[in-house]
């Protein structure tokens, strides 16, 4: 289960861009997390688009209302699992590539920032209770290798 929150200045993304990003950002995290492309796993992902007025965002100490810049923050919150540095890097690179593609940019803007946060096991609630990724490993969406890596990471 993952929540991806994209915060942008108002009007930065069109509905068509958000529609594309809902899918591509989900898949950018899903594939490294479960070890394969598994459309059935998409139900465990939410993408939220938050728009802020330019006078409520700043970079470099300057309001965007005073000096427009292409600023975005993409916050990724994932359940505790096997998130080694190289897997987190893969997710971040996939997210930035998806953002650039949807926005028609050759490369991501240096002012597009990604935060990758791991929610400690026992701190995620769903289905009326506390939920662990260990509860999801037998769902059929994880590859055997990824399921074993997650079990090892959480029970070590």
């Amino acid at each position: 289960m993952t929540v991806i929150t994209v915060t942008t200045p108002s009007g930065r993304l069109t509905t068509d861009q958000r529609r594309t990003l809902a899918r591509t950002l989900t898949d950018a995290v899903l594939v490294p997390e479960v070890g394969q492309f598994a459309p059935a796993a998409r139900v465990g992902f939410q993408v939220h688009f938050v728009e802020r007025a330019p006078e409520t965002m700043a970079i470099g100490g300057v309001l965007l209302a005073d000096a427009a810049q292409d600023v975005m923050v993409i916050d990724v919150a994932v359940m505790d699992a096997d998130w080694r540095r190289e897997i987190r890097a893969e997710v971040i690179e996939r997210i930035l590539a998806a953002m650039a593609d949807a926005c028609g940019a050759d490369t991501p803007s240096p002012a597009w920032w990604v935060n990758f946060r791991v929610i400690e096991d026992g701190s995620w609630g769903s289905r009326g209770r506390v939920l662990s990724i260990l509860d999801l490993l037998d769902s059929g969406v994880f590859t055997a290798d990824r399921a074993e890596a997650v079990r090892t990471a959480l029970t070590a």
Side-chain angles (χ1 to χ4, degrees), residues 102-126:
C103 293
D106 292 333
T107 58
S109 166
W112 297 356
W113 297 350
V114 178
N115 297 321
F116 189 99
R117 296 182 300 117
V118 177
I119 307 302
E120 183 180 342
D121 194 46
S123 297
W124 196 286
S126 178

Side-chain angles (χ1 to χ4, degrees), residues 4 6 15 25 40 60 66 69 75-76 83 88 90 103-104 107 110 120 122 125 139 141 144 151 155:
I4 302 164
V6 180
T15 299
L25 292 177
D66 298 332
Q69 292 193 48
D75 183 75
V76 182
W83 292 110
R88 291 182 310 225
E90 178 185 354
C103 293
T107 58
E120 183 180 342
S139 65
V141 299
R151 281 188 185 92
T155 59

Side-chain angles (χ1 to χ4, degrees), residues 32-33 81-84 87 133-134 137 142-156:
E33 183 172 11
D82 175 36
W83 292 110
R84 289 168 280 146
I87 297 171
I133 200 164
L134 295 171
L137 294 180
F142 288 83
T143 63
D145 288 345
R146 282 300 292 150
E148 183 57 33
V150 169
R151 281 188 185 92
T152 300
L154 291 182
T155 59

